[in-house]
Amino acid sequence: MLKQSLRQKLGLPDNSPELITKICWQKQYAPLPIGDQFNSVLGGYLQTAITELLCYFQGEEMQFTIPLDLSSGTPFQQRVWQALQQIPYGQTISYKTLAMMIDNPKAVRAVGGANGQNPLPIIIPCHRVIQADGNLGGYSGGVAIKRELLALEGVVDTRF
């Protein structure tokens, strides 16, 4: 079961299949088709995503294993999103460190922009990137949710 405080803050009902749509902050995505419209491969990926997200929200350290299609992003965004997947559970890095990870140390603002366009928040853990001074910075789902996700992972800082 999801930790109660996080479930309440995200507005998630108990054991609801709406979990996937509730953590998708970007409203332009259409609801996923259900039933016969899924082929077995897509259904398998969705089941894996649901299982892994449930484990994550139960506070288990997760390295997501579902294959991702990042082709909707620019080459720069794709490099940022791939680098985000290297940040370990329960750890944070700065936007500047992320820019250095993609060999573009002057692209700090552009890295922040790519984070904001992340199509798979949580699975691609952009919430683990904070400002160099230790403040949270932004998050597409809102700073309160970023704070809760970091707390779920055991990241505690008085500046949050």
Side-chain angles (χ1 to χ4, degrees), residues 2-160:
L2 300 181
K3 290 190 175 183
Q4 192 61 33
S5 65
L6 183 60
R7 179 182 289 287
Q8 289 170 343
K9 289 181 187 208
L10 293 176
L12 297 174
D14 289 337
N15 299 323
S16 170
E18 295 178 22
L19 178 64
I20 295 297
T21 61
K22 294 289 184 179
I23 64 168
C24 184
W25 326 125
Q26 300 187 19
K27 296 181 185 349
Q28 73 262 25
Y29 294 111
L32 293 171
I34 303 298
D36 294 338
Q37 297 175 20
F38 276 133
N39 65 38
S40 62
V41 173
L42 180 58
Y45 290 153
L46 181 60
Q47 185 58 53
T48 300
I50 291 169
T51 300
E52 290 180 350
L53 285 166
L54 287 172
C55 288
Y56 175 84
F57 282 114
Q58 290 171 350
E60 294 179 29
E61 187 170 328
M62 279 300 309
Q63 178 71 32
F64 291 95
T65 63
I66 58 171
L68 305 177
D69 178 1
L70 304 179
S71 64
S72 65
T74 67
F76 177 82
Q77 289 171 328
Q78 290 176 36
R79 286 198 332 269
V80 171
W81 299 338
Q82 289 166 351
L84 287 168
Q85 294 174 72
Q86 305 309 311
I87 306 170
Y89 179 96
Q91 295 184 27
T92 60
I93 64 169
S94 69
Y95 293 96
K96 181 175 182 159
T97 299
L98 182 57
M100 291 170 28
M101 286 173 66
I102 63 164
D103 296 322
N104 199 340
K106 294 186 180 192
V108 176
R109 286 186 178 267
V111 159
N115 272 12
Q117 296 300 310
N118 176 0
L120 297 165
I122 300 172
I123 294 172
I124 300 175
C126 55
H127 62 278
R128 296 179 187 154
V129 182
I130 61 173
Q131 295 176 345
D133 65 4
N135 288 311
L136 286 179
Y139 188 63
S140 62
V143 175
I145 291 176
K146 183 175 187 174
R147 183 180 297 109
E148 289 296 319
L149 292 171
L150 291 172
L152 178 71
E153 294 185 17
V155 177
V156 180
D157 190 309
T158 56
R159 291 171 283 201
F160 298 173

